[in-house]
Amino acid sequence: MGIQLFMLALARSFRYGLRPLASVMRTMSTEQAPPKKGLKKWFTKEVFKLEPKGTEASLRDIADTLKCVNYRYDFPQNLTDQQKKEMKRFDIFRYDPMNSAEPPHFVSYYIDLNKCGPMFLDALIKIKDEIDPTLSFRRSCREGICGSCSMNVDGRHTLACITAIPKKNLEKSFIAPLTFMNVLKDLVVDMTHFYNQYKTIDPYLKRKTPKAEGQKEFFQSVEDRAKIDGLYECVLCLSCSSSCPSYWWHSNEYLGPAVLMQAFRWVIDSRDEHRDERLEAIGGDMKLDECFQLGVCSLACPKGLDPRKAIEELKELYHHYSEDKEKKDVSVNISLPQSISPSFAPLQK
């Protein structure tokens, strides 16, 4: 069933010129589940279901639809075929939603690696500065700290500033935006929804007891400090969340690996005094439970962190919290006195 719905979304995205799958899949509901019989006829109908009013779609349109697949052309650099063979080719995704005349496509650029820095970000900067100034992408620190330049490089989500160009391989390299994210322009994706989710976990220290007079810092032991190693290094690049199938389908409810790992970071911080409140906020519904421990997020993390393990421990903490909460509720109900009828109430002396 899930594969069939995915294929439906894929077909619809083709119909709209490789419209980002994330926006297509989020508009689909379980009510559109395919029937057990007549799947081929149903699927063909759904491919052309979103055709604008006043027009009719037919199978003849499929040729125009498939033109958008692997649509690529070389950027004019006045290079000979021999020069191209001696240079590195970069196929870069280009798309401007404000320009409806041109569908999403790939443009090939050729660079002499002897005149370029070692990282993919160096290649992008060289292309923008010397070849095509219209190319759009995010970047800032160049040190793998800010998380701005996250993108899909050769089929894997990573940070362009710390991903080296294979010098000995002159075959083409593929650069595209993060998968299943709405594209604002070229390699720039919309992070608004993610940042709004991140805001919901209150990613800062929260205390109930104020500092003593003259106190400047909240101290913690070496052991407690070691607990947040492998968590605080997250740069919020969204490589893990955009690789997560659960986040593809339910990003409106499911918080995703990046946000949940940061939630775990604050839950286990010994200086924070709102542990129960934090667990209560992320529990229930699909905010936490939609993680099925596939581990794709950990494989995708360019910083070598392990969001899967963090979420596993967070789910265990929430499970214990829920059990303790139920026990407290039961004990409170048992200890409550039964109501006494006014006619049998004891007299007060």
Side-chain angles (χ1 to χ4, degrees):
M1 186 70 70
I3 295 178
Q4 293 165 347
L5 288 175
F6 175 79
M7 292 300 296
L8 168 60
L10 185 63
R12 288 188 179 179
S13 70
F14 283 165
R15 182 60 184 162
Y16 281 82
L18 287 182
R19 177 186 172 192
L21 277 174
S23 58
V24 176
M25 295 169 76
R26 288 171 187 163
T27 60
M28 297 171 58
S29 66
T30 55
E31 297 177 357
Q32 296 169 314
K36 295 181 179 180
K37 295 183 179 180
L39 178 61
K40 183 177 180 181
K41 181 178 180 181
W42 172 87
F43 186 78
T44 305
K45 177 182 177 182
E46 289 294 332
V47 171
F48 304 103
K49 183 177 180 179
L50 300 179
E51 189 69 22
K53 293 181 179 180
T55 61
E56 295 182 358
S58 65
L59 292 176
R60 290 177 297 178
D61 296 330
I62 198 167
D64 294 331
T65 300
L66 294 178
K67 285 181 181 179
C68 298
V69 182
N70 294 329
Y71 175 38
R72 183 198 69 82
Y73 64 85
D74 289 348
F75 188 85
Q77 295 179 248
N78 298 323
L79 299 173
T80 64
D81 292 341
Q82 182 60 32
Q83 287 176 318
K84 290 181 179 179
K85 291 180 180 179
E86 298 173 354
M87 304 174 78
K88 177 73 174 180
R89 170 179 151 186
F90 294 88
D91 287 357
I92 302 179
F93 179 88
R94 302 299 306 271
Y95 176 51
D96 184 1
M98 302 303 294
N99 182 12
S100 59
E102 190 170 26
H105 59 283
F106 286 88
V107 178
S108 296
Y109 302 90
Y110 294 85
I111 294 180
D112 184 356
L113 295 183
N114 295 322
K115 300 179 181 179
C116 178
M119 304 298 176
F120 274 91
L121 182 60
D122 295 317
L124 290 172
I125 294 175
K126 186 176 180 64
I127 291 172
K128 185 173 180 65
D129 290 347
E130 302 178 9
I131 302 175
D132 185 2
T134 65
L135 178 62
S136 296
F137 57 91
R138 287 192 178 107
R139 53 105 173 175
S140 183
C141 72
R142 294 173 62 99
E143 298 291 340
I145 297 174
C146 69
S148 300
C149 63
S150 56
M151 57 189 69
N152 189 315
V153 176
D154 288 337
R156 184 167 184 172
H157 292 181
T158 186
L159 297 174
C161 63
I162 60 174
T163 303
I165 304 172
K167 292 280 187 179
K168 297 181 180 180
N169 181 11
L170 292 181
E171 295 294 328
K172 66 178 180 180
S173 282
F174 166 90
I175 305 177
L178 293 175
T179 311
F180 287 90
M181 298 292 292
N182 290 324
V183 176
L184 297 179
K185 188 175 186 295
D186 298 339
L187 303 177
V188 180
V189 298
D190 188 0
M191 305 278 279
T192 304
H193 179 62
F194 165 69
Y195 286 130
N196 287 336
Q197 289 181 316
Y198 181 60
K199 187 188 299 184
T200 63
I201 67 170
D202 294 338
Y204 47 83
L205 196 65
K206 299 175 70 175
R207 299 279 297 184
K208 296 179 181 179
T209 57
K211 289 182 179 179
E213 185 177 354
Q215 182 182 3
K216 295 183 179 180
E217 300 172 340
F218 295 113
F219 295 100
Q220 60 182 165
S221 65
V222 176
E223 293 76 16
D224 287 338
R225 169 59 182 79
K227 291 180 180 179
I228 62 175
D229 286 340
L231 301 173
Y232 76 90
E233 298 94 333
C234 175
V235 295
L236 303 177
C237 66
L238 206 61
S239 292
C240 59
S241 293
S242 56
S243 300
C244 174
S246 293
Y247 196 73
W248 297 344
W249 285 100
H250 304 296
S251 59
N252 290 335
E253 296 89 7
Y254 178 50
L255 293 179
V259 173
L260 289 176
M261 185 169 72
Q262 289 308 296
F264 178 63
R265 176 254 181 275
W266 291 106
V267 165
I268 65 171
D269 195 316
S270 61
R271 298 166 295 178
D272 192 270
E273 297 180 344
H274 283 254
R275 179 173 180 172
D276 289 350
E277 291 83 353
R278 292 183 184 277
L279 290 173
E280 181 68 28
I282 64 173
D285 298 328
M286 297 171 60
K287 294 180 181 178
L288 176 61
D289 294 337
E290 194 62 17
C291 174
F292 297 103
Q293 294 288 295
L294 299 180
V296 181
C297 53
S298 298
L299 294 175
C301 180
K303 301 288 287 184
L305 307 181
D306 195 353
R308 185 208 62 79
K309 182 179 179 181
I311 298 175
E312 180 184 20
E313 296 183 13
L314 181 62
K315 294 177 76 171
E316 185 176 353
L317 287 176
Y318 179 75
H319 176 70
H320 293 318
Y321 165 75
S322 300
E323 288 184 341
D324 293 341
K325 183 180 177 182
E326 291 178 0
K327 291 179 181 178
K328 290 180 181 179
D329 292 341
V330 171
S331 62
V332 169
N333 293 332
I334 294 176
S335 62
L336 285 176
Q338 296 181 353
S339 59
I340 303 176
S341 175
S343 59
F344 295 96
L347 297 176
Q348 299 292 333
K349 295 183 179 179

